[in-house]
Amino acid sequence: MPVSDAWRERLASARDDRLRQRRWRKRRVKPSATLDFAGNDYLGLAQEPRVQNAQAEGARRFGAGAGASHLVSGHLGTHEALEAALAEWTGRERALLFSTGYMANLGVLQSLADAHTAIFQDRLNHASLLDGATLSGARSRRYHHRDGDDLQRLLARSTATHKLVVSDGVFSMDGDVADIATLARVSREHSAWLMIDDAHGFGVLGENGRGCVEGVTREDVPILVGTLGKALGTAGAFVAGDAALIEHITQFARSYVYTTAQPPGIAAATLEALSIVRQEPQRRQQLFEHIATFRREAQLLGLPLTHSATPIQPLMLGSEARVMTWAATLEQHGISVGAIRPPTVPEGEARLRITLSARHTQADLRRLLEGLNVCQREEAACHA
């Protein structure tokens, strides 16, 4: 068989297999009129004119792109200013910018761990954390979700000199929050470092928006990762920690060393977004009012909520077919939600992933709840 035919056969087989499972993903351009309850723009900053203007001015001043990697000639003044601001805001000595959150997690784990390292991860950690551990070649164990006792047992059995505990801060598909205090205590007891990826908490949680680690010392959480494309509304990510950690990652993280630096306009926009987060707590207050309203009204409708108190509000529908039917009905009403199915979540745990934003209005929430009520009524009619 010609090599080209063998490759076509392999691709066709993978496609057919995914289609048989009814899990083939389709990418579509979002209509501008769609009411978005699927994105992660939690504070509405992606559409904030001040952030948009800062991005445009950053591009005019520094160029549309950085033109090189950070370690060649792509590290510009706006990058340096953003790293300093992130370090100060998180209470760490230094911060280091990455182009994406996925690259940050891969780079941190690949640079710190090797075959002699033991990594312990929550079972529901983001794919980038799991992939980063695999890339590092470290020995990995996964403890039961938010279960400090199970983590304690696994750590007690480990004979590795270097141990690393890794967890999401806010779990992206469930919306629940890691028990940082327990993770920190157990890690200390076993001389392990703790790494928290606070992608969905940074800018949202905590009295001042510093995330789920607000009030936790940098000794308890020596490795902090955050993303900029969610609450801050821009793009990219950072890792924050002490100077020795950041210098090590700078030297050894391949996803940092061998890639073009973040466009300077993005860095300038993020500086403005961070300033708004710090100076306008009313955005977080508005967001949490929306969360309370949605949960109260959803409970009155008997919708299958989880215990999430964050902007991520999953509706646990269980069946993949049911999830796709509800998502299609909402789409017909001009409402976009996340239809989440295996393998992203475990079998039998398909759900609608609804995300709320400070930018939503009370009218938007009513429209969403009315759409969900239509889904309920149509489903009941089908089973009558």
Side-chain angles (χ1 to χ4, degrees):
M1 177 185 295
V3 172
S4 59
D5 290 345
W7 275 105
R8 290 192 186 96
E9 186 175 289
R10 177 176 174 178
L11 301 185
S13 175
R15 176 187 171 89
D16 291 345
D17 184 57
R18 187 60 65 90
L19 287 170
R20 276 194 299 272
Q21 299 176 55
R22 297 184 179 180
R23 292 175 181 171
W24 188 259
R25 296 179 176 95
K26 295 182 179 179
R27 189 182 69 176
R28 290 172 290 183
V29 176
K30 184 180 74 174
S32 58
T34 297
L35 184 54
D36 185 10
F37 283 98
N40 299 319
D41 183 22
Y42 300 132
L43 298 180
L45 292 176
Q47 302 298 324
E48 167 58 47
R50 287 170 290 173
V51 176
Q52 295 170 332
N53 291 337
Q55 182 169 340
E57 178 56 31
R60 281 191 291 267
R61 182 179 175 188
F62 295 103
S69 68
H70 282 281
L71 295 180
V72 179
S73 62
H75 189 69
L76 307 177
T78 188
H79 297 128
E80 187 77 7
L82 178 55
E83 289 181 344
L86 289 167
E88 190 273 330
W89 179 236
T90 59
R92 267 67 181 172
E93 287 183 356
R94 287 182 56 189
L96 187 71
L97 286 174
F98 280 81
S99 296
T100 69
Y102 207 104
M103 292 171 71
N105 283 334
L106 258 62
V108 171
L109 289 169
Q110 167 265 312
S111 66
L112 289 178
D114 59 19
H116 303 291
T117 308
I119 297 179
F120 303 85
Q121 299 216 44
D122 189 291
R123 285 188 180 275
L124 297 188
N125 272 357
H126 190 267
S128 59
L129 294 170
L130 304 179
D131 291 352
T134 300
L135 179 65
S136 75
R139 291 169 286 173
S140 291
R141 298 296 302 272
R142 295 171 72 178
Y143 59 90
H144 299 311
H145 180 50
R146 299 185 76 251
D147 189 336
D149 291 336
D150 190 39
L151 173 60
Q152 179 90 261
R153 285 191 292 270
L154 292 176
L155 281 165
R157 296 173 188 162
S158 176
T159 59
T161 302
H162 301 102
K163 295 183 281 287
L164 183 61
V165 176
V166 182
S167 178
D168 279 3
V170 176
F171 292 88
S172 59
M173 292 298 114
D174 293 71
D176 53 349
V177 183
D179 184 349
I180 305 295
T182 296
L183 292 176
R185 174 181 57 79
V186 174
S187 297
R188 283 196 311 272
E189 289 174 1
H190 294 274
S191 301
W193 263 5
L194 175 59
M195 172 181 174
I196 297 296
D197 174 11
D198 201 21
H200 295 271
F202 183 68
V204 173
L205 300 184
E207 184 178 349
N208 298 297
R210 290 187 175 94
C212 70
V213 300
E214 183 168 318
V216 179
T217 68
R218 63 192 190 193
E219 288 76 21
D220 282 338
V221 182
I223 310 168
L224 174 63
V225 174
T227 53
L228 311 174
K230 297 177 174 63
L232 294 188
T234 57
F238 68 93
V239 57
D242 67 26
L245 170 73
I246 297 305
E247 191 57 44
H248 178 90
I249 295 170
T250 303
Q251 297 296 323
F252 294 102
R254 296 171 67 84
S255 59
Y256 177 82
V257 174
Y258 299 110
T259 194
T260 300
Q262 181 187 73
I266 298 294
T270 306
L271 273 167
E272 180 63 26
L274 185 59
S275 175
I276 292 171
V277 168
R278 301 180 71 161
Q279 296 174 20
E280 299 180 10
Q282 62 268 26
R283 288 179 178 267
R284 292 193 301 280
Q285 294 165 6
Q286 180 72 67
L287 173 60
F288 280 94
E289 287 174 10
H290 287 342
I291 294 169
T293 297
F294 173 77
R295 290 187 62 81
R296 181 182 67 248
E297 298 301 319
Q299 287 170 344
L300 291 175
L301 291 174
L303 292 168
L305 291 169
T306 67
H307 296 295
S308 170
T310 69
I312 301 167
Q313 292 292 316
L315 295 186
M316 304 300 290
L317 301 182
S319 160
E320 295 180 47
R322 190 182 181 200
V323 162
M324 299 310 291
T325 298
W326 281 46
T329 298
L330 291 170
E331 185 176 17
Q332 290 169 6
H333 287 77
I335 300 169
S336 175
V337 298
I340 309 299
R341 302 170 287 162
T344 303
V345 294
E347 294 286 346
E349 296 186 17
R351 80 277 310 264
L352 293 183
R353 181 182 183 271
I354 293 169
T355 51
L356 304 177
S357 170
R359 194 164 179 265
H360 290 135
T361 65
Q362 289 296 315
D364 294 336
L365 294 180
R366 286 194 298 271
R367 186 172 156 194
L368 169 64
L369 290 157
E370 289 166 3
L372 291 168
N373 190 219
V374 169
C375 293
Q376 289 179 305
R377 294 199 304 268
E378 290 184 356
E379 186 174 77
C382 287
H383 290 92

